[in-house]
Each structure stands twice: as structure tokens, then as C-alpha cells.
Amino acid sequence: MSHLLHTLRRMMHLMVGQPDYDAYLRHMRHHHPGHAPMDRTAFFRNRQEARYGGKNGGKCC
Amino acid sequence: MTRHIPWILTALVGAVSLAVVAVSRGETVNALWIVVAAVSCFLVAYRYYALFIAREVMRLDPARPTPAIRRADGLDYVATDRTVLFGHHFAAIAGAGPLVGPVLAAQMGYLPGTLWIIAGVVVAGAVQDFMVLFVSMRRDGKSLGELIRMEMGQVAGTIALFGAFMIMVIILAVLALIVVKALAESPWGMFTVAATVPLALAMGAYTRWIRPGRIGEVSILGLIGLLAAIVYGQAIAQSPVWGPIFTFTPVQLCWILIGYGAVASVLPVWLLLAPRDYLSTFLKIGAIAALAIGIVIMAPPLRMHAVTQFAAGGGPVWSGGLFPFLFITIACGAVSGFHALIASGTTPKLIATESDAPLIGYGAMLMEAFVAIMALVGASILDPGIYFTMNSPAAVIGTDPASVSAAVTAMGFPISPDLIVQTAKDVGEHTIISRAGGAPTLAVAMAEIFSHVFGGPAMKAFWYHFAILFEALFILTAVDAGTRAGRFMLQDLIALAVPSFKDSKSQLPGFVATGLCVAAWGFFLYQGVTDPLGGVNTLWPVFGISNQMLAAIALMLGTAVLFRMKRDRFAWVTIVPAAWLLICTLSAGFLKLFSTDAKVGFLAHAAKYGAALDKGEVLAPAKSVAEMRQILFNDYVDAGLVAIFLAVVLSLLVFTIRTCIAARRFAAPTAREIPAQLVTTP
């Protein structure tokens, strides 16, 4: 049940362009251990700008 | 063999349901037959056709790293769980299109639309989405324009980019027109939609400074605000002071929307666009789910005829006969070229393994077709008299209930003036006459279904305005986001001639491009709003033609790629739907240009008004010589636009054929995929 809720939550976030923050942290830890990752707020703002900046071709009719 | 038995049974259920829908005449058919027929066909198509394409045609390789693996960065390129990605992709492709097209198509009866949606999505629409996703996924998630450039050359890529920009302009104009039609003279609807602006600003501030990133939390607060706006909207609409303040004519609303589009698209995204998108996305998914549940619980009978006399042409909602116009009226839902932009956008960068592609590419489109089927069911469970009252232009049926009732009854769909007045009253509106555009009709249907399940007749007005709000909300989000996307497309195009125009340091090019983009869709919106035949009549076919042409272009790209992969043997998978779309759009475009029927052909219409103008006559609905000139001008612009679309698609057809012939001369594959062996996980 908690797995289902977790999936739903991630789905809702990705629908509005927010990928998983924990996955981002994991990626940074594994591949760029020297770099400090963005904090949660910076990550949120970065993804918001990426989704809505207009360079993604928008959404469908 | 035994593993096929459940699928054979599913296919049988689908066949029987389709037969019931198709063969019944005279007796009422339950809407669930259509739903069951569609779902069984989709399941079988997914199990066999999607799998065939994946294994035999594309030869998907689960071991081959996707862009999300190869270029993983935790931001744009993230290997994502397939269920999560399915939701993301579906939310990105499903919009107003699959809801509006089928409603408009219901003027020919429910049968033609149902059959086209089911056949169209299985053979064309889902194949297109899947194919573009596949092509992009093998090329680092590049966009449609870049893919065409890579596989078919620089010129073809530029032509496609230009075509995509024009299509974007028409889509924005049509979407804005739907909002105008839904909100004109409706203070209740207008108030609730206007209330979303301060609400979204407050949500934007909340996610910016108070609780950054708490999307779920802020969306629930926003939803409470929305519901309050709908509830209090009734009192506002009835207030002698506030009612008139929120009552606008279509022309006023047109200017408000143009101003909104210009301002909203240059504001910071976190302030208005993002929070509004949270609300509209979640409301959209929620409303679609509720509609599905509602239809199953209510199991309403279909009241529209299976096939009306308008299948032969001459319908009041849009002109033209079943072929080719049905196939461009229902675009999204059966096949939508716009999806090619999504399937080559964020989705290919998120896909974790190639074996997820059938579910995301083919499956999500089947889901969208299911939404289209529900919209068609919604329009078809209404009294046909109500349907034609709401969707026929005033120039055909008049404006007061008595004349409308007489005109619609004369079409063969009896309706009393009292029922027209009562229906408007039930949903809390002044009038329901001539509210074309699809959204109001669907809102009446949703009010019917939702109030049956929850709240009874007393809740109808609430549900009607809830449905209008939900449609207006995501259309306004699309207008905002689309203007931004159009701006960048335009900047790219202008930069081909004036390279400094792409300069991102200077603000000026951005503002100029935004202004041009808004002016372009604003022009068509104004033209549609002032069109005496209701605007939808003119704009929707142009939108349909352009959208289906983009689909044809995407399928031609797929064909070229299959040839270059040396998979010509299976190229019929994309050639068949591409050919069908070319036949439909080219003949529809040709008719729109050269038909001698002034109701269908732009040039014939222009000739009619030109001849009258020469004689010094003023033809209704124009009231002055200046308005006559305006109509003439509009006709020529529309004709020019259709001619441009025809030129774009024909030139890309030539490029495709050249690419395929060139590919056949080589014995080895020439497709520019990222080679599998070079791929190493970092």
C-alpha cells in the first residue's frame, strides 16, 4: 500500500515536471562525489524553470 | 496456445459490442456497449499489434542503454519507473483536443466518430506516438525538428519547424476561442475562471517563499479555493452589482484573453504558470477518472442517432461531408500530430529501458483515445435537440428559444422552447443557445453524469461550472505555455535569417517574438470570435488539417527511418496511416481551398462576397462595406494558411520519398542512431 502511494506521489510530481529528488541525490553521490548537490529548494526551482521556460515545446492541445 | 485464450475472449467481447453499436437501429443502445467495445479493441491491439511493432519492426532491445542511462544527470535524463512515466506522458498528451473534437463530430451521429476513434488510434495515432518515441529514444531524446534534420536533411527540418510554429498558432487560437465561447455572457463561469488568477498568484508565492516544493499541499489549498469560487460564483452572478461586472461579450473576452496571453507569458514561471499547471493537471486527471466512473455507474442510454443526415454534409456545427472532414474533426483521440512534439520532448529522456516503450508510446495514446470515446459518449447521451441548440450558429437557428426550437425541430430533432429555457436554468446560465466549441456541451453532459452519481439535479449548476472551470483552466495553461514555446520556435526561425535574434542576453528579441506570437494567434482568435458562423466552423477544420498534417509528417519520418534501418519490409506499419492521413488532409485542404460550395471553400466564399461588394451590396451577416472587406480579407488569409500547410506537407513528402530511395541504394543501414556498441554506462 505504501509502495502504491509512493508511486502515485512520484507520478503526480513528474506530471508537473518534478523528478525524484532522492534519485538526483543518489546520482550526484555516485557520479559526482566532489560536487555539492543542490538543496531541495534549489532543485525544485531549477526543475520548475526547466519545465515552464518554454523550451520543452509545451503540452498538447 | 492457452495464453491466447483470454485475448481471444476479449476480442470476441469487443466484436460483439461493436456489432451491437453498429447494427442497432431504432432501439436505444446503452453507452456502455461503446465503452466495452473500445476497451476490448484497445487491449487486443496493445497485446498483439504493439508487441509486433516492438519485436519485429523496431526490434527493441531491453539491454540497449536509453538516453536516461547514457546521459543520466538526475535532472533531465532520469531512468524512471514505467508506471510513473506513463502518468507523466499521458498528462502531457491529454488536453482539450480529445474532449472537443468528438463532441463536434457527434453532429454526424455517434457511430462514425466511434469507429474512426477506435480504428484511427490502433492503426495511426498510437503507432505515430510509439514510432516517434522510438526514433527519439535512439537519438539521445532529440526533438522532432532535429530528428527530421538528422534523417531527411537541413531543409526538411526547417520546413517542419516552420510548419510546427504555424500549427501552434492555430492551436492557441482555437483553444482560446473555446474559452471565449464558454465564458461569454456567463458571469458565473467568468468569475470562477477570473478567481483562479489571484488564487494561482497566492499559490505561486506559497511555493516560492513559504513552503518551497510542497506541490501536493499547495494544490489541495488551491482546490479548496477553486471549489469556494464555484460556490460563491452563483451569488456573484445573481448580484445586481457584481453580475454585470463579470458579464462580457465575446469580443471583450477576446481582447481580455489576448492581453492575458501577452502578460502571462512574460511573467516568471513560478508566479502564475506553474501553480496554475498544478491545479489544471490534477483537476484534469481527476475529472477524467470521475467521468469514467460516472459513465459506468450511470450506464446512460445513447440518445443521439447512430448516423444523422449530416453525415452527407451540410451540418450546422461544421460544414462538409463525412469524408474527409470527419477524419480531421476528430484529430486528438484518433491521431494527433502534436503528440510527436511530446514523444520527442521530455519522455524519451526519462524512459528507463527500451522494453517500456510500447506501454508509454502506444499505451498512453490508447488511454487518450479512451478519453475521446468518453467525450463522444457525453455528447451522445444528451437530447439531440439540446445538442443542436447548443452547437448550431445563430445565423442558422436564430437567438430566441421559440425560433431555435422551430429551427432545430425542422432539422428532425424535436425540442420545445420550454426545454431550452429549462436546461439553461438547470445549469445556472442565461442561455445555452449557440454555445459551440465543445466545452459547454461537454459540461452539460458532465453535469448530467456527475449529478446522477452525486448530489442530484440540485447540483447540476455546480457540476456544469465545475466542468467549465476545469476545461478553461487547462486551456489557459496551454495558452500561456504555448505562447512561450511559440516564442522560442519563432526566435529559432528568425535567427536563421538574423542570427543575433537568438541572443539570450538581450531582452528585446524575446519580447518581440512573444508579441508576434500573441498577435498571430490573436488575429485568428478575433477572426473566429467575430465570425457569424461561430468561428469553430472556420477554425476547427484548419486546426484539424494542420494537426493531422503534422501527424503525417511524423509518420513519414518514421517511414524514412525504417527504410534507413533497412527494415523496409515492415515500413507498411507507418506507410498505411501516413497515406491515409495524406489522402484525408490533402483532399480536405483542397476542398477548403477550391470547393465551389461557399460554406466549405474559402475562395468560393470570398468570390461570393467579392461579387456582392462589386455590386455595392452588403451580404448578411456583414452590416457595412467595411465588414464585407474584413470577411474577404479573412477568407484570403485562411486560404493562404491552408495553401501553406499543403505546401509544407507536400514538400516533406518529396523529401521522404527521396530519403527512402537513397536508403535503398545502400546495402547497410544508414539511419543515424547512437550505435549500441559505443554505448557504455558511465
Side-chain angles (χ1 to χ4, degrees):
Chain A
M1 190 62 198
S2 80
H3 176 73
L4 183 72
L5 283 179
H6 184 65
T7 305
L8 270 179
R9 190 165 168 275
R10 272 169 49 211
M11 188 192 281
M12 283 178 69
H13 278 198
L14 194 64
M15 275 180 185
V16 293
Q18 292 290 335
D20 197 9
Y21 180 65
D22 295 331
Y24 163 74
L25 283 187
R26 266 199 307 277
H27 170 85
M28 291 303 280
R29 227 180 10 247
H30 284 292
H31 301 293
H32 314 280
H35 289 67
M38 290 184 268
D39 66 17
R40 214 174 258 279
T41 305
F43 178 78
F44 170 70
R45 290 183 182 168
N46 174 297
R47 290 297 87 201
Q48 210 173 34
E49 198 55 49
R51 173 176 169 89
Y52 300 106
K55 290 196 165 162
N56 271 334
K59 295 202 294 176
C60 187
C61 34
Chain B
M1 187 59 212
T2 46
R3 67 201 167 96
H4 292 292
I5 289 175
W7 297 103
I8 294 171
L9 289 177
T10 314
L12 281 176
V13 170
V16 169
S17 314
L18 259 186
V20 169
V21 174
V23 178
S24 302
R25 290 289 180 278
E27 68 265 49
T28 44
V29 176
N30 196 288
L32 286 186
W33 287 110
I34 291 190
V35 175
V36 172
V39 170
S40 342
C41 290
F42 295 167
L43 287 175
V44 172
Y46 179 71
R47 169 62 180 79
Y48 290 98
Y49 195 44
L51 207 66
F52 164 76
I53 296 176
R55 282 189 189 157
E56 307 295 328
V57 183
M58 300 173 174
R59 287 197 190 146
L60 292 182
D61 174 8
R64 189 175 175 129
T66 57
I69 307 287
R70 249 173 49 74
R71 305 190 47 171
D73 64 359
L75 297 169
D76 291 315
Y77 296 86
V78 188
T80 305
D81 175 79
R82 55 193 279 171
T83 322
V84 173
L85 187 57
F86 181 87
H88 162 82
H89 188 69
F90 174 70
I93 61 173
L99 295 175
V100 172
V103 172
L104 299 178
Q107 78 159 345
M108 292 190 169
Y110 58 79
L111 189 55
T114 303
L115 295 180
W116 164 233
I117 293 172
I118 295 178
V121 72
V122 167
V123 178
V127 175
Q128 179 217 223
D129 291 22
F130 187 16
M131 198 69 204
V132 173
L133 180 65
F134 163 71
V135 174
S136 179
M137 182 173 75
R138 288 260 171 110
R139 286 161 187 76
D140 266 351
K142 287 205 172 10
S143 71
L144 184 71
E146 291 169 312
L147 295 174
I148 292 182
R149 202 172 308 149
M150 280 171 83
E151 297 294 334
M152 286 156 67
Q154 182 73 37
V155 182
T158 306
I159 294 176
L161 183 61
F162 174 73
F165 173 72
M166 295 305 294
I167 291 164
M168 186 74 114
V169 166
I170 294 295
I171 285 177
L172 293 178
V174 167
L175 292 179
L177 181 68
I178 293 168
V179 173
V180 168
K181 289 279 166 191
L183 296 185
E185 317 291 350
S186 166
W188 187 347
M190 185 64 201
F191 170 77
T192 53
V193 172
T196 63
V197 176
L199 197 61
L201 294 176
M203 288 169 68
Y206 187 91
T207 44
R208 187 74 181 175
W209 295 301
I210 303 175
R211 304 260 291 170
R214 302 302 174 117
I215 294 171
E217 200 174 289
V218 79
S219 300
I220 290 171
L221 292 176
L223 183 65
I224 294 170
L226 279 187
L227 294 178
I230 302 176
V231 171
Y232 287 106
Q234 185 166 28
I236 299 277
Q238 285 163 354
S239 146
V241 183
W242 293 103
I245 292 179
F246 285 101
T247 306
F248 293 99
T249 64
V251 175
Q252 286 170 327
L253 270 177
C254 165
W255 287 111
I256 293 174
L257 269 177
I258 291 173
Y260 166 82
V263 174
S265 60
V266 294
L267 288 180
V269 291
W270 57 265
L271 184 59
L272 183 60
L273 178 56
R276 196 195 260 287
D277 184 50
Y278 304 154
L279 282 180
S280 72
T281 303
F282 301 146
L283 209 55
K284 175 171 77 185
I285 300 297
I288 287 172
L291 188 59
I293 296 169
I295 287 177
V296 171
I297 294 181
M298 188 180 175
L302 299 168
R303 297 171 74 183
M304 179 59 80
H305 304 179
V307 182
T308 70
Q309 72 268 32
F310 301 127
V317 187
W318 42 277
S319 322
L322 193 145
F323 178 85
F325 289 102
L326 173 72
F327 306 101
I328 57 166
T329 300
I330 301 185
C332 311
V335 48
S336 167
F338 220 70
H339 294 185
L341 302 181
I342 317 281
S344 62
T346 46
T347 306
K349 301 182 183 116
L350 297 169
I351 201 157
T353 148
E354 289 201 348
S355 52
D356 289 350
L359 176 71
I360 314 296
Y362 203 94
M365 181 60 197
L366 290 177
M367 186 88 152
E368 163 145 315
F370 180 68
V371 175
I373 287 285
M374 290 198 299
L376 189 72
V377 164
S380 305
I381 63 166
L382 296 176
D383 185 328
I386 296 283
Y387 174 84
F388 285 102
T389 298
M390 294 191 73
N391 289 290
S392 307
V396 176
I397 57 169
T399 50
D400 68 291
S403 78
V404 171
S405 145
V408 174
T409 304
M411 287 178 196
F413 305 100
I415 184 166
S416 68
D418 294 344
L419 183 60
I420 296 177
V421 174
Q422 188 55 43
T423 306
K425 218 176 190 175
D426 284 348
V427 297
E429 288 291 281
H430 295 312
T431 172
I432 55 158
I433 297 167
S434 297
R435 311 213 82 157
T441 310
L442 189 67
V444 171
M446 286 171 76
E448 197 77 40
I449 294 166
F450 288 170
S451 66
H452 178 91
V453 178
F454 188 81
M459 286 284 281
K460 254 191 197 170
F462 175 86
W463 287 124
Y464 174 86
H465 288 93
F466 172 81
I468 290 286
L469 178 66
F470 126 81
E471 291 173 271
L473 199 59
F474 70 70
I475 287 179
L476 287 179
T477 311
V479 166
D480 189 342
T483 303
R484 287 172 200 266
R487 171 208 145 171
F488 285 109
M489 285 188 196
L490 196 59
Q491 257 180 293
D492 283 354
L493 278 172
I494 297 178
L496 292 174
V498 190
S500 64
F501 210 79
K502 220 172 171 175
D503 183 7
S504 53
K505 277 184 230 94
S506 161
Q507 292 273 328
L508 190 67
F511 280 119
V512 172
T514 302
L516 284 175
C517 193
V518 173
W521 63 256
F523 170 81
F524 290 104
L525 172 62
Y526 185 79
Q527 179 196 330
V529 167
T530 51
D531 180 351
L533 286 173
V536 169
N537 200 344
T538 321
L539 279 182
W540 192 266
V542 179
F543 159 65
I545 290 174
S546 62
N547 195 10
Q548 303 298 63
M549 281 187 169
L550 189 59
I553 291 172
L555 285 164
M556 289 194 287
L557 168 71
T559 308
V561 169
L562 287 179
F563 269 83
R564 287 170 64 113
M565 289 172 80
K566 296 312 268 179
R567 310 287 297 150
D568 341 7
R569 203 152 70 78
F570 294 106
W572 56 266
V573 165
T574 49
I575 291 178
V576 169
W580 174 244
L581 288 176
L582 286 174
I583 292 170
C584 288
T585 52
L586 291 177
S587 47
F590 194 80
L591 283 173
K592 275 288 160 197
L593 277 180
F594 301 117
S595 169
T596 49
D597 181 351
K599 276 190 187 146
V600 176
F602 290 128
L603 293 179
H605 193 260
K608 184 175 148 194
Y609 277 74
L613 201 57
D614 289 341
K615 283 187 247 159
E617 291 170 15
V618 173
L619 290 184
K623 294 191 188 68
S624 64
V625 173
E627 283 185 24
M628 291 284 287
R629 286 190 204 288
Q630 183 64 43
I631 289 177
L632 261 181
F633 179 71
N634 290 350
D635 279 336
Y636 285 124
V637 171
D638 293 339
L641 197 66
V642 172
I644 289 175
F645 286 139
L646 289 177
V648 166
V649 78
L650 283 174
S651 58
L652 281 166
L653 176 61
V654 173
F655 277 106
T656 307
I657 293 173
R658 270 181 36 182
T659 309
C660 293
I661 293 174
R664 284 187 67 90
R665 284 202 208 106
F666 292 93
T670 45
R672 291 202 186 164
E673 290 183 345
I674 308 269
Q677 62 274 22
L678 284 185
V679 177
T680 47
T681 33

PDB file of all heavy atoms in Angstrom, chain B residues 20 81 83 98 146 150 181 260 265-266 307 320 341 344-345 385 451 505 530 534 539 548 559:
ATOM      1  N   VAL B  20     -23.218  -4.685 -31.705  1.00  0.00           N
ATOM      2  CA  VAL B  20     -24.412  -4.109 -31.087  1.00  0.00           C
ATOM      3  C   VAL B  20     -24.494  -2.621 -31.409  1.00  0.00           C
ATOM      4  O   VAL B  20     -25.531  -2.095 -31.809  1.00  0.00           O
ATOM      5  CB  VAL B  20     -24.390  -4.329 -29.556  1.00  0.00           C
ATOM      6  CG1 VAL B  20     -25.481  -3.516 -28.882  1.00  0.00           C
ATOM      7  CG2 VAL B  20     -24.531  -5.794 -29.234  1.00  0.00           C
ATOM      8  N   ASP B  81      10.571   4.863 -13.352  1.00  0.00           N
ATOM      9  CA  ASP B  81       9.640   3.747 -13.255  1.00  0.00           C
ATOM     10  C   ASP B  81       8.552   3.883 -14.325  1.00  0.00           C
ATOM     11  O   ASP B  81       8.031   4.962 -14.559  1.00  0.00           O
ATOM     12  CB  ASP B  81       9.019   3.774 -11.850  1.00  0.00           C
ATOM     13  CG  ASP B  81       7.945   2.737 -11.684  1.00  0.00           C
ATOM     14  OD1 ASP B  81       8.311   1.576 -11.476  1.00  0.00           O
ATOM     15  OD2 ASP B  81       6.755   3.089 -11.787  1.00  0.00           O
ATOM     16  N   THR B  83       5.404   2.992 -14.615  1.00  0.00           N
ATOM     17  CA  THR B  83       4.081   3.480 -14.217  1.00  0.00           C
ATOM     18  C   THR B  83       4.105   4.994 -14.047  1.00  0.00           C
ATOM     19  O   THR B  83       3.206   5.709 -14.502  1.00  0.00           O
ATOM     20  CB  THR B  83       3.664   2.853 -12.864  1.00  0.00           C
ATOM     21  OG1 THR B  83       4.102   1.506 -12.844  1.00  0.00           O
ATOM     22  CG2 THR B  83       2.182   2.936 -12.666  1.00  0.00           C
ATOM     23  N   PRO B  98      -8.915  15.932 -27.332  1.00  0.00           N
ATOM     24  CA  PRO B  98      -9.740  14.731 -27.346  1.00  0.00           C
ATOM     25  C   PRO B  98     -11.119  14.963 -26.743  1.00  0.00           C
ATOM     26  O   PRO B  98     -12.027  14.147 -26.935  1.00  0.00           O
ATOM     27  CB  PRO B  98      -8.944  13.737 -26.494  1.00  0.00           C
ATOM     28  CG  PRO B  98      -8.029  14.566 -25.688  1.00  0.00           C
ATOM     29  CD  PRO B  98      -7.715  15.769 -26.522  1.00  0.00           C
ATOM     30  N   GLU B 146      14.773  18.367 -34.955  1.00  0.00           N
ATOM     31  CA  GLU B 146      16.157  17.887 -35.073  1.00  0.00           C
ATOM     32  C   GLU B 146      16.205  16.501 -35.719  1.00  0.00           C
ATOM     33  O   GLU B 146      17.110  16.214 -36.509  1.00  0.00           O
ATOM     34  CB  GLU B 146      16.814  17.820 -33.688  1.00  0.00           C
ATOM     35  CG  GLU B 146      17.069  19.183 -33.083  1.00  0.00           C
ATOM     36  CD  GLU B 146      17.477  19.098 -31.618  1.00  0.00           C
ATOM     37  OE1 GLU B 146      16.796  18.384 -30.843  1.00  0.00           O
ATOM     38  OE2 GLU B 146      18.458  19.732 -31.252  1.00  0.00           O
ATOM     39  N   MET B 150      18.200  15.423 -38.977  1.00  0.00           N
ATOM     40  CA  MET B 150      19.202  14.355 -38.987  1.00  0.00           C
ATOM     41  C   MET B 150      18.951  13.335 -40.083  1.00  0.00           C
ATOM     42  O   MET B 150      19.879  12.867 -40.735  1.00  0.00           O
ATOM     43  CB  MET B 150      19.188  13.595 -37.652  1.00  0.00           C
ATOM     44  CG  MET B 150      19.916  14.269 -36.514  1.00  0.00           C
ATOM     45  SD  MET B 150      19.567  13.380 -34.995  1.00  0.00           S
ATOM     46  CE  MET B 150      20.749  12.049 -35.095  1.00  0.00           C
ATOM     47  N   LYS B 181     -16.088  31.069 -26.117  1.00  0.00           N
ATOM     48  CA  LYS B 181     -17.446  30.544 -26.317  1.00  0.00           C
ATOM     49  C   LYS B 181     -18.052  30.087 -24.998  1.00  0.00           C
ATOM     50  O   LYS B 181     -19.256  30.168 -24.786  1.00  0.00           O
ATOM     51  CB  LYS B 181     -17.401  29.359 -27.288  1.00  0.00           C
ATOM     52  CG  LYS B 181     -17.103  29.751 -28.700  1.00  0.00           C
ATOM     53  CD  LYS B 181     -18.369  30.253 -29.352  1.00  0.00           C
ATOM     54  CE  LYS B 181     -18.050  30.972 -30.659  1.00  0.00           C
ATOM     55  NZ  LYS B 181     -19.207  31.681 -31.174  1.00  0.00           N
ATOM     56  N   TYR B 260      -4.175  38.859 -21.622  1.00  0.00           N
ATOM     57  CA  TYR B 260      -3.719  37.864 -20.648  1.00  0.00           C
ATOM     58  C   TYR B 260      -2.545  37.062 -21.203  1.00  0.00           C
ATOM     59  O   TYR B 260      -1.527  36.865 -20.527  1.00  0.00           O
ATOM     60  CB  TYR B 260      -4.886  36.935 -20.284  1.00  0.00           C
ATOM     61  CG  TYR B 260      -4.447  35.692 -19.562  1.00  0.00           C
ATOM     62  CD1 TYR B 260      -4.203  35.727 -18.200  1.00  0.00           C
ATOM     63  CD2 TYR B 260      -4.235  34.509 -20.249  1.00  0.00           C
ATOM     64  CE1 TYR B 260      -3.763  34.596 -17.545  1.00  0.00           C
ATOM     65  CE2 TYR B 260      -3.801  33.372 -19.607  1.00  0.00           C
ATOM     66  CZ  TYR B 260      -3.567  33.420 -18.252  1.00  0.00           C
ATOM     67  OH  TYR B 260      -3.126  32.297 -17.622  1.00  0.00           O
ATOM     68  N   SER B 265       2.677  35.319 -20.401  1.00  0.00           N
ATOM     69  CA  SER B 265       3.798  34.570 -20.963  1.00  0.00           C
ATOM     70  C   SER B 265       5.147  35.262 -20.746  1.00  0.00           C
ATOM     71  O   SER B 265       6.172  34.699 -21.119  1.00  0.00           O
ATOM     72  CB  SER B 265       3.576  34.300 -22.449  1.00  0.00           C
ATOM     73  OG  SER B 265       3.451  35.508 -23.140  1.00  0.00           O
ATOM     74  N   VAL B 266       5.154  36.471 -20.175  1.00  0.00           N
ATOM     75  CA  VAL B 266       6.461  37.055 -19.837  1.00  0.00           C
ATOM     76  C   VAL B 266       6.682  37.135 -18.322  1.00  0.00           C
ATOM     77  O   VAL B 266       7.742  37.546 -17.864  1.00  0.00           O
ATOM     78  CB  VAL B 266       6.659  38.460 -20.467  1.00  0.00           C
ATOM     79  CG1 VAL B 266       6.729  38.344 -21.984  1.00  0.00           C
ATOM     80  CG2 VAL B 266       5.564  39.423 -20.068  1.00  0.00           C
ATOM     81  N   VAL B 307     -26.421   7.468 -36.935  1.00  0.00           N
ATOM     82  CA  VAL B 307     -25.917   8.264 -38.050  1.00  0.00           C
ATOM     83  C   VAL B 307     -26.991   9.295 -38.377  1.00  0.00           C
ATOM     84  O   VAL B 307     -28.145   8.929 -38.561  1.00  0.00           O
ATOM     85  CB  VAL B 307     -25.646   7.395 -39.302  1.00  0.00           C
ATOM     86  CG1 VAL B 307     -25.088   8.248 -40.430  1.00  0.00           C
ATOM     87  CG2 VAL B 307     -24.694   6.265 -38.972  1.00  0.00           C
ATOM     88  N   GLY B 320     -19.291  20.299 -44.565  1.00  0.00           N
ATOM     89  CA  GLY B 320     -18.551  19.266 -45.278  1.00  0.00           C
ATOM     90  C   GLY B 320     -19.049  17.874 -44.948  1.00  0.00           C
ATOM     91  O   GLY B 320     -19.698  17.651 -43.917  1.00  0.00           O
ATOM     92  N   LEU B 341       5.525  16.057 -30.911  1.00  0.00           N
ATOM     93  CA  LEU B 341       6.380  17.003 -30.194  1.00  0.00           C
ATOM     94  C   LEU B 341       6.611  16.547 -28.754  1.00  0.00           C
ATOM     95  O   LEU B 341       7.658  16.784 -28.169  1.00  0.00           O
ATOM     96  CB  LEU B 341       5.762  18.399 -30.211  1.00  0.00           C
ATOM     97  CG  LEU B 341       5.496  18.996 -31.593  1.00  0.00           C
ATOM     98  CD1 LEU B 341       4.906  20.381 -31.482  1.00  0.00           C
ATOM     99  CD2 LEU B 341       6.768  19.034 -32.419  1.00  0.00           C
ATOM    100  N   SER B 344       8.873  13.383 -28.576  1.00  0.00           N
ATOM    101  CA  SER B 344      10.282  13.695 -28.796  1.00  0.00           C
ATOM    102  C   SER B 344      10.710  14.827 -27.864  1.00  0.00           C
ATOM    103  O   SER B 344      11.620  15.576 -28.151  1.00  0.00           O
ATOM    104  CB  SER B 344      10.523  14.092 -30.259  1.00  0.00           C
ATOM    105  OG  SER B 344       9.780  15.251 -30.574  1.00  0.00           O
ATOM    106  N   GLY B 345      10.008  14.954 -26.738  1.00  0.00           N
ATOM    107  CA  GLY B 345      10.322  16.019 -25.784  1.00  0.00           C
ATOM    108  C   GLY B 345      10.975  15.461 -24.538  1.00  0.00           C
ATOM    109  O   GLY B 345      12.105  14.970 -24.584  1.00  0.00           O
ATOM    110  N   GLY B 385     -31.816  17.348 -29.583  1.00  0.00           N
ATOM    111  CA  GLY B 385     -32.342  18.711 -29.712  1.00  0.00           C
ATOM    112  C   GLY B 385     -31.470  19.705 -28.955  1.00  0.00           C
ATOM    113  O   GLY B 385     -31.121  20.779 -29.456  1.00  0.00           O
ATOM    114  N   SER B 451     -24.161  14.707 -11.619  1.00  0.00           N
ATOM    115  CA  SER B 451     -25.282  14.950 -10.706  1.00  0.00           C
ATOM    116  C   SER B 451     -26.087  13.669 -10.515  1.00  0.00           C
ATOM    117  O   SER B 451     -26.730  13.474  -9.492  1.00  0.00           O
ATOM    118  CB  SER B 451     -26.168  16.089 -11.206  1.00  0.00           C
ATOM    119  OG  SER B 451     -26.801  15.725 -12.405  1.00  0.00           O
ATOM    120  N   LYS B 505      21.055  37.223 -24.139  1.00  0.00           N
ATOM    121  CA  LYS B 505      21.421  38.243 -23.156  1.00  0.00           C
ATOM    122  C   LYS B 505      20.469  39.423 -23.237  1.00  0.00           C
ATOM    123  O   LYS B 505      20.108  40.036 -22.249  1.00  0.00           O
ATOM    124  CB  LYS B 505      22.865  38.709 -23.400  1.00  0.00           C
ATOM    125  CG  LYS B 505      23.900  37.794 -22.785  1.00  0.00           C
ATOM    126  CD  LYS B 505      25.290  38.371 -22.974  1.00  0.00           C
ATOM    127  CE  LYS B 505      26.247  37.355 -23.546  1.00  0.00           C
ATOM    128  NZ  LYS B 505      26.429  37.324 -24.969  1.00  0.00           N
ATOM    129  N   THR B 530     -15.503  36.996 -34.223  1.00  0.00           N
ATOM    130  CA  THR B 530     -16.419  37.862 -34.971  1.00  0.00           C
ATOM    131  C   THR B 530     -17.074  37.125 -36.139  1.00  0.00           C
ATOM    132  O   THR B 530     -17.921  37.684 -36.819  1.00  0.00           O
ATOM    133  CB  THR B 530     -15.665  39.093 -35.519  1.00  0.00           C
ATOM    134  OG1 THR B 530     -14.503  38.641 -36.206  1.00  0.00           O
ATOM    135  CG2 THR B 530     -15.246  40.027 -34.396  1.00  0.00           C
ATOM    136  N   GLY B 534     -19.841  31.355 -36.254  1.00  0.00           N
ATOM    137  CA  GLY B 534     -19.463  30.778 -34.970  1.00  0.00           C
ATOM    138  C   GLY B 534     -17.980  30.538 -34.775  1.00  0.00           C
ATOM    139  O   GLY B 534     -17.560  30.140 -33.713  1.00  0.00           O
ATOM    140  N   LEU B 539     -12.345  27.739 -37.931  1.00  0.00           N
ATOM    141  CA  LEU B 539     -11.026  27.465 -37.367  1.00  0.00           C
ATOM    142  C   LEU B 539     -10.773  25.984 -37.109  1.00  0.00           C
ATOM    143  O   LEU B 539      -9.660  25.508 -37.261  1.00  0.00           O
ATOM    144  CB  LEU B 539     -10.839  28.244 -36.068  1.00  0.00           C
ATOM    145  CG  LEU B 539     -10.449  29.704 -36.210  1.00  0.00           C
ATOM    146  CD1 LEU B 539     -10.252  30.319 -34.840  1.00  0.00           C
ATOM    147  CD2 LEU B 539      -9.178  29.848 -37.028  1.00  0.00           C
ATOM    148  N   GLN B 548      -3.359  17.027 -38.327  1.00  0.00           N
ATOM    149  CA  GLN B 548      -3.215  15.733 -38.995  1.00  0.00           C
ATOM    150  C   GLN B 548      -2.035  15.741 -39.954  1.00  0.00           C
ATOM    151  O   GLN B 548      -1.419  14.715 -40.207  1.00  0.00           O
ATOM    152  CB  GLN B 548      -4.498  15.375 -39.755  1.00  0.00           C
ATOM    153  CG  GLN B 548      -5.748  15.341 -38.905  1.00  0.00           C
ATOM    154  CD  GLN B 548      -5.700  14.316 -37.816  1.00  0.00           C
ATOM    155  OE1 GLN B 548      -4.858  14.419 -36.936  1.00  0.00           O
ATOM    156  NE2 GLN B 548      -6.578  13.355 -37.837  1.00  0.00           N
ATOM    157  N   THR B 559       8.685   6.394 -41.523  1.00  0.00           N
ATOM    158  CA  THR B 559       8.908   5.594 -42.723  1.00  0.00           C
ATOM    159  C   THR B 559      10.355   5.742 -43.203  1.00  0.00           C
ATOM    160  O   THR B 559      11.035   4.748 -43.497  1.00  0.00           O
ATOM    161  CB  THR B 559       7.954   6.052 -43.840  1.00  0.00           C
ATOM    162  OG1 THR B 559       6.620   6.063 -43.308  1.00  0.00           O
ATOM    163  CG2 THR B 559       8.015   5.134 -45.035  1.00  0.00           C
TER     164      THR B 559
END
